[in-house]
Amino acid sequence: MQMGDDQARLYRLDGVAHIAGVINDEPQRCIRSMRRQQGMRLDERYVPYLQMAGLYHLARLNNRWFRIDEPLLSAFMERWRPETHTFHMSFEECTITLQDMAYQLGLAVDGRYISIYIYIDGGRPAWVWFEELLGVNPPPSQVQKFAVNCSWFQETFGECPEGADKDTVRRYARVYIMMLLGTQLFADKSGNRIHIRWLPYLAGPLQLLQFWIFWRFPRFRPTGYDTCSWPLASRWSGYNPSVSEKGPRVQMWRLQIDMLQPRDFIWMPYSFPDVLHVVHPEALESRHTALWRSVMSLIYFAFGGVQPRPRPALNIDFLMSKDGRGSDRWFPSAFQHWHLHWESRADHVLWFDVVADPGPLHTYLD
């Protein structure tokens, strides 16, 4: 930083608060783990519906228990910069991509976006639609705004009855998908509620960050988990982080990250034969691979190429503070341009020559 620069800019970028701003005052600050898995049994009768929804591989992971290493993830979050959507490391910058989503979780990256506001703005009450899809509405005591307690889902749809007809199995499968999205893939900080914004899906989290770290940084990998299976995240299902005090471990991981060298990072971890051997062919279809470098609302950095000058950070503090109990600001029509942007995703794919030594442009350094 040059003389005369405002040091506060390191901690608030275009009005966006950053966790780095509290390190000096709270050097042992650590995130709190949220609910990771919904605990409902995967009934074989749900499988055809999970396959149609493109979530079967994720559902298979749900049968395994993945423990979150909060201190490790906290140390990495301190290096996330909202202007560039990358982790600023001592040697280079790196980020999670749609390719990581596809390989780690077995999720397709091409498809329609999910947004409930279309249906609400169109005059169809959300709870009427809820009852049509699931056959019953939760009692008011189990609802907070547009979020439903997980316990109600588990008590009402925990076990699909033997001999159930096709319509009943379909309803139970819809609940399983809703719980899968709302707890394992997109858990919010409430930890025990499911938002009904996943209803459109019935008609990738902190967890992904940990998988990404293990694959990209060999130094941080746990030992004894070398068996490759699909999805690739299943390799780390037995990981059991230390139960020692979290605060000192945050500081330890922070020091370990500071000491990283370029050789400690794997830029192309999925090109090894033992990985390609187990990857599902669907993940390699051109309609998915063509979008790995698509510039969308949540994806910016062009992996393997030259980084241009960053754009201003998008201030979404008011969204980050939501926990599922708020009003319809979860799905306002004001964000329709983001949805339209995704519809034209094929027009926003970055094309560039992959270089041996990727780095920033001179304008970026300036």
Side-chain angles (χ1 to χ4, degrees):
M1 185 166 56
Q2 297 179 356
M3 294 291 291
D5 282 352
D6 182 5
Q7 188 173 5
R9 292 182 66 248
L10 290 172
Y11 308 137
R12 292 199 65 84
L13 308 168
D14 295 312
V16 181
H18 196 280
I19 191 175
V22 301
I23 291 178
N24 291 334
D25 298 327
E26 304 176 49
Q28 296 188 352
R29 179 173 176 175
C30 185
I31 62 172
R32 178 176 60 86
S33 180
M34 298 175 291
R35 180 188 294 269
R36 285 294 131 222
Q37 288 156 297
Q38 41 88 342
M40 293 178 66
R41 185 177 69 86
L42 175 57
D43 193 302
E44 290 297 324
R45 291 170 289 180
Y46 304 161
V47 171
Y49 302 102
L50 289 165
Q51 291 174 328
M52 287 188 291
L55 294 173
Y56 177 57
H57 298 302
L58 182 65
R60 290 175 55 203
L61 289 177
N62 188 61
N63 288 335
R64 301 166 180 258
W65 184 255
F66 294 93
R67 296 186 181 275
I68 300 299
D69 192 334
E70 293 96 336
L72 175 62
L73 301 189
S74 296
F76 266 86
M77 289 177 183
E78 295 169 0
R79 290 183 169 273
W80 177 261
R81 305 304 295 187
E83 328 97 307
T84 56
H85 304 290
T86 58
F87 294 98
H88 282 221
M89 311 303 290
S90 59
F91 54 90
E92 283 284 357
E93 297 173 42
C94 49
T95 192
I96 298 174
T97 68
L98 286 175
Q99 184 181 22
D100 293 297
M101 289 288 295
Y103 279 75
Q104 297 282 4
L105 304 181
L107 294 174
V109 298
D110 187 33
R112 284 187 54 80
Y113 60 83
I114 301 173
S115 178
I116 196 173
Y117 89 84
I118 298 175
Y119 303 92
I120 291 181
D121 285 359
R124 191 178 193 185
W127 293 109
V128 171
W129 193 25
F130 188 101
E131 186 172 7
E132 289 178 4
L133 290 172
L134 305 184
V136 62
N137 267 330
S141 61
Q142 298 292 322
V143 179
Q144 294 190 37
K145 294 292 185 178
F146 290 101
V148 183
N149 289 341
C150 291
S151 57
W152 179 83
F153 282 112
Q154 292 170 334
E155 293 169 2
T156 309
F157 297 95
E159 291 286 342
C160 187
E162 292 293 334
D165 58 30
K166 188 174 182 179
D167 289 339
T168 300
V169 173
R170 186 183 295 114
R171 286 197 296 271
Y172 275 73
R174 286 169 177 162
V175 173
Y176 186 92
I177 291 174
M178 196 168 184
M179 293 282 281
L180 193 66
L181 292 173
T183 60
Q184 184 169 340
L185 195 58
F186 298 110
D188 61 37
K189 62 184 182 181
S190 72
N192 59 1
R193 288 183 293 275
I194 306 296
H195 201 284
I196 66 171
R197 61 179 172 270
W198 305 118
L199 284 177
Y201 203 87
L202 304 184
L206 290 181
Q207 197 174 74
L208 176 63
L209 172 58
Q210 180 164 290
F211 299 151
W212 176 82
I213 291 171
F214 289 162
W215 275 94
R216 301 281 181 172
F217 296 91
R219 177 183 292 188
F220 299 146
R221 289 180 182 175
T223 58
Y225 304 102
D226 296 327
T227 301
C228 251
S229 59
W230 180 258
L232 298 183
S234 60
R235 169 180 285 200
W236 316 115
S237 62
Y239 176 59
N240 190 19
S242 172
V243 296
S244 58
E245 192 174 351
K246 295 180 181 179
R249 290 185 60 228
V250 171
Q251 295 176 299
M252 181 272 291
W253 283 124
R254 188 181 297 143
L255 178 61
Q256 291 288 320
I257 294 174
D258 287 342
M259 296 172 61
L260 288 173
Q261 300 295 318
R263 64 177 179 274
D264 295 321
F265 183 80
I266 301 178
W267 290 101
M268 306 292 286
Y270 307 123
S271 60
F272 298 107
D274 62 331
V275 174
L276 294 175
H277 178 71
V278 299
V279 171
H280 197 280
E282 183 180 2
L284 302 176
E285 292 181 5
S286 59
R287 67 188 182 95
H288 299 310
T289 60
L291 295 177
W292 287 344
R293 294 196 299 257
S294 182
V295 181
M296 288 289 109
S297 300
L298 297 179
I299 302 296
Y300 178 78
F301 184 55
F303 182 78
V306 179
Q307 184 171 8
R309 181 177 178 180
R311 300 175 183 176
L314 180 64
N315 190 338
I316 55 174
D317 277 1
F318 75 99
L319 284 180
M320 292 300 186
S321 65
K322 296 293 182 180
D323 59 6
R325 295 174 293 178
S327 63
D328 60 357
R329 293 185 73 183
W330 273 109
F331 31 78
S333 57
F335 294 148
Q336 187 174 9
H337 65 281
W338 284 359
H339 305 147
L340 295 176
H341 191 194
W342 174 252
E343 292 287 12
S344 60
R345 55 194 176 277
D347 299 329
H348 299 281
V349 175
L350 293 176
W351 298 101
F352 51 81
D353 294 328
V354 176
V355 295
D357 185 20
L361 295 174
H362 290 297
T363 53
Y364 178 88
L365 292 177
D366 292 339

